[in-house]
Amino acid sequence: MPELELLRADHAPALLAFERENRSYFAACVPDRGDGYFARFDERHRGLLAEQAAGTSLFHVLVDAGGEVLGRFNLVDVADGTAELGYRVAERAAGRGLATAAVRELCGLAAGRYGLTALRAATTLDNAASRAVPARTGFVPAGEILLADRPGLAYVRPLS
């Protein structure tokens, strides 16, 4: 069974492989990260670890038994007991309930380990799979938004 792990320095090679292998798949649903992201990946990874050490973000990867990254599940903009949830799952792992299970687990970690009281999330309207995850994990719609000029929905989930 895949495990949700807090991001570490040694995840970098598997995380880069995940991003490269799924780049076109993700770009169909969310804005592409751009060539610069891949060219400066090591620098970016160190930056994420610094954010995590500062407590402003908490980055997680879903890894299989062989250490391959199947998904990313992040809590960013951590402040005042709240955070923004973001997630993406590899194309080959999609449709198996992994995102729903990982978000449920992360909600538990957010409340129990990280002391958060609420999470926010957002999805584009045209990504049915991504929209299903908040609905299955206790989030409620909180209004319409634009995500990179695409219509979307905001969600909120109280944790207490």
Side-chain angles (χ1 to χ4, degrees):
M1 187 69 183
E3 291 190 34
L4 193 63
E5 299 179 356
L6 192 61
L7 187 66
R8 303 184 309 259
D10 65 328
H11 285 128
L15 187 56
L16 178 57
F18 165 82
E19 291 290 352
R20 282 185 174 148
E21 290 165 11
N22 293 285
R23 184 176 183 180
S24 62
Y25 174 65
F26 294 146
C29 301
V30 295
D32 184 60
R33 294 188 186 277
D35 293 337
Y37 173 86
F38 296 95
R40 293 184 299 279
F41 181 83
D42 290 336
E43 178 184 329
R44 172 84 173 123
H45 191 71
R46 285 190 299 275
L48 295 178
L49 293 172
E51 280 182 50
Q52 189 164 269
T56 58
S57 296
L58 297 156
F59 303 102
H60 300 78
V61 288
L62 185 67
V63 296
D64 67 12
E68 187 173 347
V69 173
L70 300 176
R72 299 181 75 156
F73 298 84
N74 302 321
L75 299 174
V76 299
D77 298 331
V78 176
D80 300 322
T82 68
E84 178 88 19
L85 168 69
Y87 51 91
R88 53 177 57 195
V89 173
E91 182 175 21
R92 70 175 191 80
R96 299 183 355 209
L98 294 176
T100 298
V103 167
R104 278 191 186 119
E105 183 177 348
L106 191 52
C107 287
L109 289 171
R113 183 178 297 167
Y114 307 138
L116 300 178
T117 57
L119 296 179
R120 300 175 310 279
T123 64
T124 57
L125 291 179
D126 61 353
N127 189 339
S130 190
R131 279 195 348 259
V133 174
R136 291 179 181 143
T137 56
F139 286 78
V140 294
E144 295 181 5
I145 58 168
L146 285 177
L147 289 171
D149 296 325
R150 296 166 68 177
L153 285 175
Y155 303 88
V156 66
R157 177 168 185 224
L159 297 173
S160 51

